[in-house]
Amino acid sequence: MVEVQDSLLYAPSHEWIRIEGDIGIIGITDFAQSQLGDIVYIELPETDENIFMNSAFGSIESVKTVSELIAPVNGNIIETNEELAASPELINKDPYNNGWLIKIKIEDKKQIEGLLSPGDYEDMISGGNE
Amino acid sequence: MKRTPLYEEHIRNNGRMIEFFGWELPVYYSSIKEEAMAIRQKVGLFDVSHMGEIFVTGEDAEEFINYIITNSTFQKEDHSIVYSLMCDKKGFAVDDLLVYKFNKKHFLLVVNASNADKDHKWLLENRKDFNIDIQNRSKEYALIAVQGPRSIELINGFFPIDVAALKYYWFAESTFNDNDCLISRTGYTGEQGFELLIHRDHAVRAWNALLDKGKNHGILPCGLGARDLLRIEVGFPLYGHELNEKINPIEANLGWVIKLDKECDFIGKENLKEFKEKLSRKRIGFIMDRSKIAREDSVIMDQEEHRIGSVTSGTFSFCLKRSIGMGIIEKKYIDIGKLKINIGEKIFTAEITHLPFVKIKN
């Protein structure tokens, strides 16, 4: 079974966000990594770039496929996970911790309200309303 | 969708099923990486029952086979196997295949699943007045590939014959659990390995017996994902990618299976001769500077960003930890070394390299 963590919020496009005050840490879910399979390449924006809710901010690639990374909220990038360039498999092994993608300053906290709760996300991936 | 006799086993082993030319087959069970590494380091099993089996028998079987294929079986002994192409009159491949020679009146052609019906039709259309019988028996058989350095250890003991004595590209008629089978020293991974052709009714027992005994050897069932990755690592062409209606066999570097001087005429010979004389493109291998995968049809360019060819296959090699690929480029550029490849509107750099990417010590 894939893991859904209680302390996070989720986007329907399978990204998670951990909210710490004005800061958001973003990654992809355990479900997403299990669907992609072995991840080999990741493309992330640079620090200080802006990301926009529901728009692609990068891409993630496995042997099987390339998939876009979609921003759950607007924000300004303050840090990216530099370990991923050499070890993209961290996303497969530990999607909620060492496999994080980007850290942002959240622009508009109201956007968080539209995200999925852990329970709703779990319903979604277990075949409910996609 | 068509299912092989091992379908239920794939579901039971959590196979991630996809459609492959009308067949429902696992792309992987656990992970493409783990499966590919199992075959490079230990042993793995593939269900390749979707492949086609066409028998050609009769007085003129050898003459007919050699009229159809580009390679030659005339000098080959009974129970040897020949890799060949069969080409149309224009010299383009109808398919690539393995030709099993039981004797000069009895042959088995093992062909790509995607082409089995087309190949059968092609054989019937070109049978002329050869005294032969052609039978597509693909539905009757299962084919299981056992690949990897521990494959001999694993399968020896299942057969009443000494399988370890089989040489590369030879086969034996034997039994598995008292059921008739063919066991051949063949595969599509570059590793030591065998392929077991057995009646579909006995496939599940054979598959599970191999998986069971293989546990001590670190065996994994492997899907189409690992199969494609492994064949790219050793530079093997795949019909529909390196070889198709636009890439001729000489361009695909398969000139070595075209015997223009063999004892008989064969379909496509004139054009193949011309392709050989006027070769303008070549198949190459390349390694990407970054781990971005160059997908099929990505445009290959020189340093000035002029189009010189395109990608035919690309993947990520877990044993090399690099993205690798093959492509067809204009012949005059094969020594330029550095390439640029346009992947999804972005340009990545790569370097031409000798095939195979992964060298196997057998």
Side-chain angles (χ1 to χ4, degrees):
Chain A
M1 263 312 283
V2 296
E3 187 189 357
V4 175
Q5 287 202 343
D6 282 342
S7 54
L8 309 174
L9 293 171
Y10 296 86
S13 47
H14 308 289
E15 290 80 13
W16 54 261
I17 182 165
R18 177 178 292 125
I19 312 284
E20 296 174 352
D22 290 342
I23 305 297
I25 299 163
I26 295 170
I28 66 163
T29 65
D30 192 28
F31 176 80
Q33 72 76 22
S34 78
Q35 291 291 311
L36 284 165
D38 303 296
I39 292 161
V40 300
Y41 186 72
I42 177 123
E43 213 162 56
L44 294 175
E46 304 280 327
T47 305
D48 215 29
E49 284 183 35
N50 292 316
I51 63 169
F52 303 95
M53 188 168 74
N54 297 336
S55 296
F57 67 85
S59 68
I60 190 161
E61 181 158 14
S62 67
V63 176
K64 280 192 304 174
T65 186
V66 187
S67 184
E68 283 188 329
L69 297 164
I70 307 294
V73 294
N74 292 3
N76 181 264
I77 296 183
I78 51 180
E79 196 181 341
T80 63
N81 186 350
E82 287 176 9
E83 278 184 69
L84 296 180
S87 308
E89 71 277 7
L90 286 174
I91 300 169
N92 293 116
K93 286 182 189 151
D94 191 10
Y96 295 119
N97 295 296
N98 291 324
W100 67 279
L101 301 173
I102 55 173
K103 193 183 276 187
I104 60 166
K105 176 140 191 339
I106 299 169
E107 185 190 289
D108 177 3
K109 287 199 82 171
K110 277 202 188 121
Q111 287 180 339
I112 293 168
E113 292 164 17
L115 295 170
L116 300 170
S117 70
D120 288 346
Y121 181 66
E122 203 156 347
D123 287 347
M124 191 192 103
I125 59 173
S126 60
N129 42 335
E130 182 115 353
Chain B
M1 245 192 300
K2 291 184 272 190
R3 292 173 175 179
T4 75
L6 295 166
Y7 174 81
E8 298 295 337
E9 303 311 302
H10 303 325
I11 298 299
R12 223 161 48 83
N13 285 307
N14 294 321
R16 200 70 66 106
M17 307 303 277
I18 57 158
E19 200 218 313
F20 183 76
F21 294 103
W23 291 84
E24 203 173 352
L25 286 163
V27 62
Y28 63 86
Y29 304 83
S30 49
S31 99
I32 292 175
K33 177 184 180 179
E34 283 174 34
E35 292 164 21
M37 293 309 266
I39 286 182
R40 288 276 175 254
Q41 294 168 353
K42 295 168 186 168
V43 62
L45 277 194
F46 292 109
D47 174 16
V48 283
S49 304
H50 56 301
M51 307 266 308
E53 290 84 21
I54 302 172
F55 285 85
V56 176
T57 53
E59 203 56 39
D60 298 338
E62 183 146 66
E63 283 67 33
F64 172 68
I65 291 287
N66 283 279
Y67 169 66
I68 291 287
I69 69 170
T70 60
N71 206 333
S72 170
T73 67
F74 288 119
Q75 314 302 329
K76 295 288 179 177
E77 289 176 47
D78 294 353
H79 292 104
S80 64
I81 299 171
V82 174
Y83 172 71
S84 185
L85 302 171
M86 51 184 188
C87 288
D88 61 19
K89 289 177 182 67
K90 291 176 180 163
F92 286 86
V94 174
D95 203 359
D96 64 342
L97 69 164
L98 292 185
V99 181
Y100 288 55
K101 180 176 180 177
F102 290 79
N103 59 58
K104 62 188 169 72
K105 294 177 186 171
H106 184 184
F107 290 83
L108 161 64
L109 310 181
V110 177
V111 303
N112 281 302
S114 53
N115 290 334
D117 292 337
K118 177 185 78 172
D119 292 351
H120 182 224
K121 205 168 147 234
W122 178 253
L123 296 173
L124 293 175
E125 280 169 11
N126 289 284
R127 63 175 301 163
K128 295 187 160 180
D129 49 6
F130 286 105
N131 180 8
I132 45 157
D133 184 46
I134 300 168
Q135 284 197 39
N136 183 357
R137 295 173 64 184
S138 305
K139 284 180 189 145
E140 293 170 45
Y141 288 99
L143 189 61
I144 298 172
V146 187
Q147 301 281 299
R150 296 193 191 164
S151 56
I152 295 181
E153 253 178 285
L154 168 62
I155 73 163
N156 228 357
F158 278 114
F159 300 89
I161 58 164
D162 178 16
V163 174
L166 261 186
K167 286 179 287 187
Y168 189 56
Y169 267 64
W170 287 72
F171 74 97
E173 297 168 73
S174 187
T175 57
F176 189 98
N177 290 331
D178 295 326
N179 302 121
D180 287 342
C181 72
L182 295 184
I183 180 79
S184 61
R185 187 77 181 263
T186 50
Y188 197 42
T189 64
E191 294 291 337
Q192 270 185 8
F194 299 86
E195 288 174 305
L196 173 68
L197 186 76
I198 194 163
H199 192 276
R200 60 178 296 132
D201 292 349
H202 309 306
V204 171
R205 245 182 102 195
W207 175 266
N208 286 326
L210 288 163
L211 271 188
D212 215 38
K213 190 180 167 206
K215 274 182 197 152
N216 301 331
H217 300 279
I219 198 168
L220 286 181
C222 301
L224 294 171
R227 189 168 165 81
D228 191 52
L229 163 57
L230 292 163
R231 69 97 192 164
I232 296 171
E233 284 183 339
V234 288
F236 291 169
L238 174 61
Y239 185 88
H241 300 264
E242 281 68 38
L243 193 63
N244 58 31
E245 63 287 349
K246 288 185 193 128
I247 302 170
N248 79 48
I250 313 288
E251 293 171 333
N253 293 356
L254 291 172
W256 63 279
V257 295
I258 295 160
K259 302 287 157 63
L260 292 173
D261 54 358
K262 72 172 164 176
E263 291 88 332
C264 67
D265 192 23
F266 59 92
I267 302 174
K269 183 175 174 180
E270 283 314 307
N271 278 32
L272 286 163
K273 197 189 254 174
E274 210 169 292
F275 290 155
K276 230 169 197 171
E277 286 156 7
K278 293 186 198 159
L279 179 62
S280 64
R281 301 188 301 171
K282 285 292 269 182
R283 174 159 64 101
I284 54 147
F286 58 83
I287 296 187
M288 303 291 292
D289 290 336
R290 298 169 72 183
S291 56
K292 178 77 185 171
I293 297 176
R295 305 282 167 178
E296 186 171 5
D297 295 330
S298 299
V299 171
I300 302 178
M301 302 175 294
D302 64 6
Q303 288 305 299
E304 285 73 46
E305 299 187 4
H306 299 125
R307 186 188 205 282
I308 62 170
S310 63
V311 174
T312 54
S313 292
T315 191
F316 183 82
S317 165
F318 293 100
C319 68
L320 298 174
K321 298 189 173 65
R322 300 289 296 272
S323 276
I324 59 174
M326 294 190 274
I328 297 282
I329 65 167
E330 289 173 45
K331 191 183 159 202
K332 60 183 175 187
Y333 293 100
I334 58 170
D335 293 320
I336 62 171
K338 296 221 176 289
L339 302 174
K340 289 187 176 180
I341 303 181
N342 189 337
I343 310 167
E345 309 300 307
K346 280 195 188 128
I347 292 174
F348 292 84
T349 55
E351 185 142 12
I352 296 179
T353 183
H354 286 289
L355 295 172
F357 299 101
V358 176
K359 290 169 192 72
I360 314 289
K361 281 176 249 150
N362 268 336

